[in-house]
Amino acid sequence: MIDRQGLADFLRRRREQLRPVDAGLPEGSRRRTPGLRREEVAMLAGVSVDHYTRLEQGRGSAPSAGVVLAIAQALHCDREQRDHLLRLGGHAPPPRRAGHHVRPGLIALGNRLTDLPVVILTDLGEVLWTNALGTALVGGVLGDTARDRNLVRRWFTDPSARLMPSDHWERISAAHVSDLRAAFTRRGGDAEVTALVDELEERSGEFARLWALHDVTQRQIDQKVFLHPEIGAIELRCEVLLSPDEDVSMHAFFPLEGTDAAQKLELLGVIGTQVLRDA
């Protein structure tokens, strides 16, 4: 639903922030107000002056998505401002995708957290990168292909990939499905997420049952217990840092307070990679 007053306020404030030179226009003279004139924005956007003026006044017909995008371009909006303008105009922003690209800053941050396991995932659960301790924690269930590096697919199709106590499985399964449902909604049910959902519905009755519940959540904090073959149970608190596009996330695992997880992570840092090689 259009937010007429919000749209009017945003258009006016954004127009006043731009100088003519920012939009490739001559400075001119005798400007009584800061920024661009309404007729200049309308010309740059290819819409009528009357239609644009009515939008700034909170009146008139609701703008189409094409008109909103044209105005956003005329006002030199960045991606966040464009999406905000679309929402104010009553339209859904286009899906955002970072693909499989991991920003160098995330990797640099992960490498600095030498005493914590760090795993970077796509929104569909594919592991893109781990630091050394992250490899020691989850590397034993990761394969060489993208399919085999998808933790959600492995969870529902390979019992050996469930490195957690069995009494935690129902909660983790539900969390995986609600995360995937959020990705499905955000992506608009694109081909990649639809193919994964169709596959899991066919291969896992548990997944199909949970998917039918329509729970939608994106976790940003969780508690997990990992069962390491040499060290035993490691109780960790997972903090999830989302990328601006929300389709790549960094998972950092902190020792759970009041447990021996910190000592076990220290030990994992010493023997973890050797255990994986021996295995």
Side-chain angles (χ1 to χ4, degrees), residues 163-202:
L163 304 180
M164 298 179 186
S166 58
D167 57 340
H168 290 218
W169 288 1
E170 179 68 19
R171 179 180 66 83
I172 299 300
S173 293
H176 278 321
V177 174
S178 62
D179 278 348
L180 189 58
R181 175 70 75 175
F184 187 95
T185 301
R186 185 173 57 254
R187 286 173 172 238
D190 68 17
E192 186 179 15
V193 67
T194 298
L196 178 59
V197 169
D198 289 347
E199 176 190 350
L200 293 179
E201 281 190 304
E202 180 180 348

Side-chain angles (χ1 to χ4, degrees), residues 17 61-62 79 114-115 119 200 203 219 224 229 233 239:
Q17 290 171 356
S61 59
R79 186 169 56 179
T114 56
D115 59 340
V119 180
L200 293 179
R203 298 182 63 184
R219 291 171 295 171
K224 296 186 176 181
E239 294 281 350

Side-chain angles (χ1 to χ4, degrees), residues 2-10 12 56-58:
I2 183 173
D3 179 353
R4 292 188 181 278
Q5 190 56 53
L7 178 63
D9 289 343
F10 181 88
R12 184 178 63 256
E56 269 206 18
Q57 294 173 342

Side-chain angles (χ1 to χ4, degrees), residues 90-166:
H91 303 285
R96 292 189 179 187
R97 294 292 311 282
H100 287 62
H101 175 70
V102 181
R103 290 183 290 129
L106 284 181
I107 294 177
L109 176 59
N111 279 325
R112 285 180 176 273
L113 299 175
T114 56
D115 59 340
L116 299 177
V118 174
V119 180
I120 296 179
L121 301 157
T122 69
D123 58 346
L124 303 189
E126 181 186 340
V127 175
L128 300 177
W129 182 88
T130 62
N131 68 357
L133 206 52
T135 299
L137 184 66
V138 303
V141 299
L142 300 180
D144 296 328
T145 68
R147 286 182 58 83
D148 290 338
R149 296 181 67 84
N150 188 297
L151 295 181
V152 177
R153 178 185 282 112
R154 293 292 300 275
W155 180 268
F156 286 105
T157 63
D158 181 1
S160 68
R162 297 195 170 191
L163 304 180
M164 298 179 186
S166 58

Side-chain angles (χ1 to χ4, degrees), residues 206-265:
E206 179 189 25
F207 178 88
R209 172 178 61 82
L210 292 169
W211 185 257
L213 298 178
H214 289 270
D215 287 337
V216 182
T217 306
Q218 189 166 28
R219 291 171 295 171
Q220 296 189 29
I221 187 170
D222 200 358
Q223 290 185 12
K224 296 186 176 181
V225 180
F226 286 87
L227 299 178
H228 192 276
E230 298 293 326
I231 298 174
I234 311 175
E235 299 179 68
L236 301 172
R237 174 169 50 86
C238 178
E239 294 281 350
V240 180
L241 308 177
L242 298 172
S243 69
D245 296 312
E246 295 189 358
D247 63 347
V248 173
S249 60
M250 170 182 283
H251 296 233
F253 297 90
F254 293 80
L256 189 63
E257 295 81 356
T259 74
D260 60 355
Q263 292 82 3
K264 288 183 175 179
L265 285 181

